[in-house]
Amino acid sequence: MNKTTDILQDFGSLADVRIGLSAEVRAQSVHALNRLLAHTMAIRDAYKKAHWQTSGAAFYQLHLLFDKHYGEQELIMDTIAERVQTLGGVTFALAGDVADESSIARAPRGRESALAQLERLVTAHETILIEARPLARTAADIGDDGTNDLIVSQVVRANELQSWFIGEHLAAQSKAGNTQ
């Protein structure tokens, strides 16, 4: 069996969907959304790693918070992927795609202190937010209201809120001088 004949749609191509947007607009949004999807997959995985490996005085609080944020990022990830499909695109789906596309720093394999985990997560949120806002404005400018709405109402708002929660824990950890 020839593996190339099993591919229904090449990555980077668009299926013909009738949603009232030109192929050019859809292609631009698919590219932007795949970038956000890669970031979202990266931060989702960072949260699960932190959940599994957290330690120290705030273990229980952080363990629960990291798992909650993991679940929320997973929902955002699904919503982004569904929008890419709605636009006729093909989503990133594999770890290698995420590693190639996302600029979010990968955590080391070893166990980090809670402070290092929190710093890494707040930096990842900032990366997403810095990229998401202009992508939302561009989507609005090119007439892709669905993509604009998704980015603003789900990606930006959720990452702002999660960043705030992580920032509050980070401030408490720093204040306490806790490096575990």
Side-chain angles (χ1 to χ4, degrees), residues 5-96:
T5 60
D6 293 341
I7 295 174
L8 299 177
Q9 183 180 350
D10 290 325
F11 185 84
S13 69
L14 289 177
D16 187 25
V17 294
R18 297 176 61 184
I19 60 170
L21 293 172
S22 71
E24 181 180 305
V25 166
R26 291 185 296 117
Q28 190 171 348
S29 291
V30 164
H31 177 74
L33 288 168
N34 265 324
R35 177 101 172 147
L36 287 178
L37 179 59
H39 290 332
T40 303
M41 292 169 79
I43 199 169
R44 176 208 57 184
D45 292 348
Y47 269 116
K48 187 52 82 174
K49 181 185 186 303
H51 168 78
W52 287 335
Q53 296 182 356
T54 196
S55 62
F59 165 80
Y60 187 70
Q61 288 176 309
L62 291 176
H63 185 74
L64 294 178
L65 181 68
F66 293 157
D67 200 44
K68 178 181 182 292
H69 285 193
Y70 168 88
E72 291 168 356
Q73 288 295 329
E74 194 167 51
L75 291 173
I76 294 167
M77 187 180 76
D78 281 345
T79 303
I80 293 170
E82 288 169 357
R83 181 66 185 167
V84 169
Q85 299 286 91
T86 300
L87 292 167
V90 177
T91 61
F92 285 135
L94 302 172

Side-chain angles (χ1 to χ4, degrees), residues 73 75-77 79-80 148-160:
Q73 288 295 329
L75 291 173
I76 294 167
M77 187 180 76
T79 303
I80 293 170
N148 169 270
D149 178 61
L150 182 154
I151 295 171
V152 172
S153 67
Q154 295 187 44
V155 176
V156 170
R157 288 187 182 147
N159 279 281
E160 285 177 343

